[in-house]
Amino acid sequence: MPVEKHIIALLEDANIDYSVVEHEPVYTNPAMAEALGVSEAETVKSLVLLTKEKQMVVLVMPGDKKVDWKKAAAGIGTKKVSFAKPEEVLEKVGCEVGCVPPFGQLTPLPIHMDKDLTKKDYVYFNPGVHDKSFKIKAWDLKKMCKPTFV
């Protein structure tokens, strides 16, 4: 099942309201925010990271934030993290870097989330494709992700 269809099924099974916004393909959070006409802070950045122990994890954060590598590593419980290679992300998650969704149910990867995301009313994330974004309540994102907060 394609990633997008899997996300729709998860949201509908959980009775979570969402809307789909189609736009030109975007590959960065600034471009996504511009295409949607929202602030970059309302977009979700889902980064697939590799720990020093070679475990893949997903770090979910507001689109306007930069990774603090030391804090991310400490929050995840390791000494060092780095970006996973694009080909590893595609194999493990089923989509390209730049449109990784924030849901752990799609893969066995642990989800770590920046608490600032839960302070928003609504957030937008890519559902495994570059030309669509899903809009949901930030609280529902937290509920669906079941994250560890960092």
Side-chain angles (χ1 to χ4, degrees):
M1 175 185 308
V3 172
E4 180 183 2
K5 290 196 184 305
H6 196 144
I7 290 171
I8 290 169
L10 287 171
L11 293 171
E12 289 179 353
D13 286 348
N15 291 318
I16 291 184
D17 287 331
Y18 67 95
S19 58
V20 179
V21 182
E22 293 189 28
H23 48 73
E24 72 274 359
V26 295
Y27 298 89
T28 64
N29 286 84
M32 180 181 177
E34 185 176 329
L36 295 169
V38 300
S39 74
E40 199 176 334
E42 293 172 276
T43 67
V44 175
K45 186 184 289 189
S46 300
L47 305 172
V48 182
L49 305 179
L50 194 61
T51 68
K52 183 179 180 195
E53 299 78 22
K54 304 295 183 207
Q55 179 190 17
M56 290 177 93
V57 301
V58 179
L59 178 62
V60 180
M61 54 195 295
D64 64 335
K65 281 195 164 184
K66 304 285 184 229
V67 178
D68 180 323
W69 295 102
K70 288 183 180 183
K71 283 184 181 177
I76 291 167
T78 187
K79 291 190 185 284
K80 184 179 179 185
V81 290
S82 59
F83 287 119
K85 293 180 180 168
E87 58 273 12
E88 294 171 328
V89 173
L90 181 60
E91 181 182 325
K92 190 73 166 182
V93 182
C95 62
E96 295 178 359
V97 170
C99 64
V100 172
F103 300 122
Q105 299 93 320
L106 302 176
T107 65
L109 301 180
I111 303 293
H112 298 272
M113 181 183 283
D114 184 311
K115 289 180 185 174
D116 284 349
L117 269 178
T118 62
K119 297 174 184 172
K120 312 288 180 213
D121 289 328
Y122 289 92
V123 293
Y124 299 80
F125 65 90
N126 290 118
V129 295
H130 294 283
D131 61 353
K132 291 181 188 168
S133 295
F134 282 20
K135 175 185 178 183
I136 66 172
K137 289 181 180 176
W139 181 255
D140 287 335
L141 177 68
K142 175 187 172 256
K143 188 166 87 173
M144 291 299 295
C145 287
K146 299 181 175 86
T148 301
F149 287 104
V150 295

mmCIF file with all atom_site columns, all heavy atoms in Angstrom, residues 59-70:
data_model
loop_
_atom_site.group_PDB
_atom_site.id
_atom_site.type_symbol
_atom_site.label_atom_id
_atom_site.label_alt_id
_atom_site.label_comp_id
_atom_site.label_asym_id
_atom_site.label_entity_id
_atom_site.label_seq_id
_atom_site.pdbx_PDB_ins_code
_atom_site.Cartn_x
_atom_site.Cartn_y
_atom_site.Cartn_z
_atom_site.occupancy
_atom_site.B_iso_or_equiv
_atom_site.pdbx_formal_charge
_atom_site.auth_seq_id
_atom_site.auth_comp_id
_atom_site.auth_asym_id
_atom_site.auth_atom_id
_atom_site.pdbx_PDB_model_num
ATOM 1  N N   . LEU A 1 59 ? 13.036 12.094 13.794 1.00 0.00 ? 59 LEU A N   1
ATOM 2  C CA  . LEU A 1 59 ? 12.927 13.293 14.613 1.00 0.00 ? 59 LEU A CA  1
ATOM 3  C C   . LEU A 1 59 ? 11.904 14.206 13.947 1.00 0.00 ? 59 LEU A C   1
ATOM 4  O O   . LEU A 1 59 ? 12.095 14.615 12.804 1.00 0.00 ? 59 LEU A O   1
ATOM 5  C CB  . LEU A 1 59 ? 14.285 13.991 14.735 1.00 0.00 ? 59 LEU A CB  1
ATOM 6  C CG  . LEU A 1 59 ? 14.293 15.296 15.532 1.00 0.00 ? 59 LEU A CG  1
ATOM 7  C CD1 . LEU A 1 59 ? 13.866 15.065 16.983 1.00 0.00 ? 59 LEU A CD1 1
ATOM 8  C CD2 . LEU A 1 59 ? 15.688 15.923 15.488 1.00 0.00 ? 59 LEU A CD2 1
ATOM 9  N N   . VAL A 1 60 ? 10.818 14.489 14.655 1.00 0.00 ? 60 VAL A N   1
ATOM 10 C CA  . VAL A 1 60 ? 9.726  15.307 14.129 1.00 0.00 ? 60 VAL A CA  1
ATOM 11 C C   . VAL A 1 60 ? 9.789  16.659 14.822 1.00 0.00 ? 60 VAL A C   1
ATOM 12 O O   . VAL A 1 60 ? 9.781  16.734 16.052 1.00 0.00 ? 60 VAL A O   1
ATOM 13 C CB  . VAL A 1 60 ? 8.363  14.623 14.383 1.00 0.00 ? 60 VAL A CB  1
ATOM 14 C CG1 . VAL A 1 60 ? 7.226  15.461 13.848 1.00 0.00 ? 60 VAL A CG1 1
ATOM 15 C CG2 . VAL A 1 60 ? 8.339  13.227 13.762 1.00 0.00 ? 60 VAL A CG2 1
ATOM 16 N N   . MET A 1 61 ? 9.857  17.720 14.003 1.00 0.00 ? 61 MET A N   1
ATOM 17 C CA  . MET A 1 61 ? 10.009 19.055 14.574 1.00 0.00 ? 61 MET A CA  1
ATOM 18 C C   . MET A 1 61 ? 9.352  20.108 13.696 1.00 0.00 ? 61 MET A C   1
ATOM 19 O O   . MET A 1 61 ? 9.030  19.834 12.540 1.00 0.00 ? 61 MET A O   1
ATOM 20 C CB  . MET A 1 61 ? 11.495 19.354 14.782 1.00 0.00 ? 61 MET A CB  1
ATOM 21 C CG  . MET A 1 61 ? 12.349 19.185 13.537 1.00 0.00 ? 61 MET A CG  1
ATOM 22 S SD  . MET A 1 61 ? 14.129 19.113 13.866 1.00 0.00 ? 61 MET A SD  1
ATOM 23 C CE  . MET A 1 61 ? 14.448 20.733 14.495 1.00 0.00 ? 61 MET A CE  1
ATOM 24 N N   . PRO A 1 62 ? 9.149  21.315 14.246 1.00 0.00 ? 62 PRO A N   1
ATOM 25 C CA  . PRO A 1 62 ? 8.592  22.389 13.421 1.00 0.00 ? 62 PRO A CA  1
ATOM 26 C C   . PRO A 1 62 ? 9.529  22.691 12.260 1.00 0.00 ? 62 PRO A C   1
ATOM 27 O O   . PRO A 1 62 ? 10.756 22.639 12.400 1.00 0.00 ? 62 PRO A O   1
ATOM 28 C CB  . PRO A 1 62 ? 8.513  23.578 14.380 1.00 0.00 ? 62 PRO A CB  1
ATOM 29 C CG  . PRO A 1 62 ? 8.534  22.993 15.753 1.00 0.00 ? 62 PRO A CG  1
ATOM 30 C CD  . PRO A 1 62 ? 9.360  21.738 15.630 1.00 0.00 ? 62 PRO A CD  1
ATOM 31 N N   . GLY A 1 63 ? 8.942  23.036 11.124 1.00 0.00 ? 63 GLY A N   1
ATOM 32 C CA  . GLY A 1 63 ? 9.716  23.271 9.916  1.00 0.00 ? 63 GLY A CA  1
ATOM 33 C C   . GLY A 1 63 ? 10.680 24.430 9.981  1.00 0.00 ? 63 GLY A C   1
ATOM 34 O O   . GLY A 1 63 ? 11.628 24.495 9.200  1.00 0.00 ? 63 GLY A O   1
ATOM 35 N N   . ASP A 1 64 ? 10.476 25.350 10.920 1.00 0.00 ? 64 ASP A N   1
ATOM 36 C CA  . ASP A 1 64 ? 11.364 26.508 11.011 1.00 0.00 ? 64 ASP A CA  1
ATOM 37 C C   . ASP A 1 64 ? 12.557 26.287 11.931 1.00 0.00 ? 64 ASP A C   1
ATOM 38 O O   . ASP A 1 64 ? 13.399 27.161 12.077 1.00 0.00 ? 64 ASP A O   1
ATOM 39 C CB  . ASP A 1 64 ? 10.589 27.750 11.469 1.00 0.00 ? 64 ASP A CB  1
ATOM 40 C CG  . ASP A 1 64 ? 10.031 27.618 12.877 1.00 0.00 ? 64 ASP A CG  1
ATOM 41 O OD1 . ASP A 1 64 ? 9.810  26.482 13.351 1.00 0.00 ? 64 ASP A OD1 1
ATOM 42 O OD2 . ASP A 1 64 ? 9.796  28.668 13.506 1.00 0.00 ? 64 ASP A OD2 1
ATOM 43 N N   . LYS A 1 65 ? 12.635 25.125 12.548 1.00 0.00 ? 65 LYS A N   1
ATOM 44 C CA  . LYS A 1 65 ? 13.738 24.862 13.478 1.00 0.00 ? 65 LYS A CA  1
ATOM 45 C C   . LYS A 1 65 ? 14.874 24.122 12.786 1.00 0.00 ? 65 LYS A C   1
ATOM 46 O O   . LYS A 1 65 ? 14.661 23.345 11.855 1.00 0.00 ? 65 LYS A O   1
ATOM 47 C CB  . LYS A 1 65 ? 13.255 24.027 14.659 1.00 0.00 ? 65 LYS A CB  1
ATOM 48 C CG  . LYS A 1 65 ? 12.517 24.822 15.693 1.00 0.00 ? 65 LYS A CG  1
ATOM 49 C CD  . LYS A 1 65 ? 12.420 24.008 16.959 1.00 0.00 ? 65 LYS A CD  1
ATOM 50 C CE  . LYS A 1 65 ? 12.060 24.869 18.130 1.00 0.00 ? 65 LYS A CE  1
ATOM 51 N NZ  . LYS A 1 65 ? 12.059 24.086 19.364 1.00 0.00 ? 65 LYS A NZ  1
ATOM 52 N N   . LYS A 1 66 ? 16.071 24.348 13.291 1.00 0.00 ? 66 LYS A N   1
ATOM 53 C CA  . LYS A 1 66 ? 17.263 23.615 12.848 1.00 0.00 ? 66 LYS A CA  1
ATOM 54 C C   . LYS A 1 66 ? 17.583 22.570 13.907 1.00 0.00 ? 66 LYS A C   1
ATOM 55 O O   . LYS A 1 66 ? 17.302 22.757 15.095 1.00 0.00 ? 66 LYS A O   1
ATOM 56 C CB  . LYS A 1 66 ? 18.458 24.558 12.690 1.00 0.00 ? 66 LYS A CB  1
ATOM 57 C CG  . LYS A 1 66 ? 18.201 25.726 11.753 1.00 0.00 ? 66 LYS A CG  1
ATOM 58 C CD  . LYS A 1 66 ? 18.222 25.289 10.316 1.00 0.00 ? 66 LYS A CD  1
ATOM 59 C CE  . LYS A 1 66 ? 18.069 26.474 9.396  1.00 0.00 ? 66 LYS A CE  1
ATOM 60 N NZ  . LYS A 1 66 ? 17.062 26.291 8.385  1.00 0.00 ? 66 LYS A NZ  1
ATOM 61 N N   . VAL A 1 67 ? 18.195 21.489 13.501 1.00 0.00 ? 67 VAL A N   1
ATOM 62 C CA  . VAL A 1 67 ? 18.548 20.425 14.438 1.00 0.00 ? 67 VAL A CA  1
ATOM 63 C C   . VAL A 1 67 ? 19.703 20.881 15.321 1.00 0.00 ? 67 VAL A C   1
ATOM 64 O O   . VAL A 1 67 ? 20.735 21.342 14.830 1.00 0.00 ? 67 VAL A O   1
ATOM 65 C CB  . VAL A 1 67 ? 18.961 19.133 13.696 1.00 0.00 ? 67 VAL A CB  1
ATOM 66 C CG1 . VAL A 1 67 ? 19.366 18.045 14.693 1.00 0.00 ? 67 VAL A CG1 1
ATOM 67 C CG2 . VAL A 1 67 ? 17.854 18.635 12.801 1.00 0.00 ? 67 VAL A CG2 1
ATOM 68 N N   . ASP A 1 68 ? 19.514 20.754 16.622 1.00 0.00 ? 68 ASP A N   1
ATOM 69 C CA  . ASP A 1 68 ? 20.610 20.905 17.580 1.00 0.00 ? 68 ASP A CA  1
ATOM 70 C C   . ASP A 1 68 ? 21.107 19.474 17.794 1.00 0.00 ? 68 ASP A C   1
ATOM 71 O O   . ASP A 1 68 ? 20.480 18.685 18.505 1.00 0.00 ? 68 ASP A O   1
ATOM 72 C CB  . ASP A 1 68 ? 20.093 21.522 18.882 1.00 0.00 ? 68 ASP A CB  1
ATOM 73 C CG  . ASP A 1 68 ? 21.190 21.700 19.921 1.00 0.00 ? 68 ASP A CG  1
ATOM 74 O OD1 . ASP A 1 68 ? 22.082 20.820 20.016 1.00 0.00 ? 68 ASP A OD1 1
ATOM 75 O OD2 . ASP A 1 68 ? 21.150 22.707 20.643 1.00 0.00 ? 68 ASP A OD2 1
ATOM 76 N N   . TRP A 1 69 ? 22.198 19.141 17.141 1.00 0.00 ? 69 TRP A N   1
ATOM 77 C CA  . TRP A 1 69 ? 22.668 17.750 17.097 1.00 0.00 ? 69 TRP A CA  1
ATOM 78 C C   . TRP A 1 69 ? 22.948 17.174 18.482 1.00 0.00 ? 69 TRP A C   1
ATOM 79 O O   . TRP A 1 69 ? 22.629 16.014 18.752 1.00 0.00 ? 69 TRP A O   1
ATOM 80 C CB  . TRP A 1 69 ? 23.879 17.635 16.178 1.00 0.00 ? 69 TRP A CB  1
ATOM 81 C CG  . TRP A 1 69 ? 23.516 17.943 14.765 1.00 0.00 ? 69 TRP A CG  1
ATOM 82 C CD1 . TRP A 1 69 ? 23.744 19.104 14.081 1.00 0.00 ? 69 TRP A CD1 1
ATOM 83 C CD2 . TRP A 1 69 ? 22.797 17.102 13.858 1.00 0.00 ? 69 TRP A CD2 1
ATOM 84 N NE1 . TRP A 1 69 ? 23.211 19.035 12.820 1.00 0.00 ? 69 TRP A NE1 1
ATOM 85 C CE2 . TRP A 1 69 ? 22.631 17.817 12.644 1.00 0.00 ? 69 TRP A CE2 1
ATOM 86 C CE3 . TRP A 1 69 ? 22.266 15.817 13.954 1.00 0.00 ? 69 TRP A CE3 1
ATOM 87 C CZ2 . TRP A 1 69 ? 21.973 17.279 11.549 1.00 0.00 ? 69 TRP A CZ2 1
ATOM 88 C CZ3 . TRP A 1 69 ? 21.608 15.285 12.848 1.00 0.00 ? 69 TRP A CZ3 1
ATOM 89 C CH2 . TRP A 1 69 ? 21.473 16.014 11.668 1.00 0.00 ? 69 TRP A CH2 1
ATOM 90 N N   . LYS A 1 70 ? 23.517 17.968 19.372 1.00 0.00 ? 70 LYS A N   1
ATOM 91 C CA  . LYS A 1 70 ? 23.825 17.463 20.721 1.00 0.00 ? 70 LYS A CA  1
ATOM 92 C C   . LYS A 1 70 ? 22.542 17.207 21.512 1.00 0.00 ? 70 LYS A C   1
ATOM 93 O O   . LYS A 1 70 ? 22.411 16.177 22.171 1.00 0.00 ? 70 LYS A O   1
ATOM 94 C CB  . LYS A 1 70 ? 24.727 18.441 21.468 1.00 0.00 ? 70 LYS A CB  1
ATOM 95 C CG  . LYS A 1 70 ? 26.147 18.442 20.929 1.00 0.00 ? 70 LYS A CG  1
ATOM 96 C CD  . LYS A 1 70 ? 27.054 19.361 21.716 1.00 0.00 ? 70 LYS A CD  1
ATOM 97 C CE  . LYS A 1 70 ? 28.456 19.297 21.107 1.00 0.00 ? 70 LYS A CE  1
ATOM 98 N NZ  . LYS A 1 70 ? 29.408 20.103 21.840 1.00 0.00 ? 70 LYS A NZ  1
#
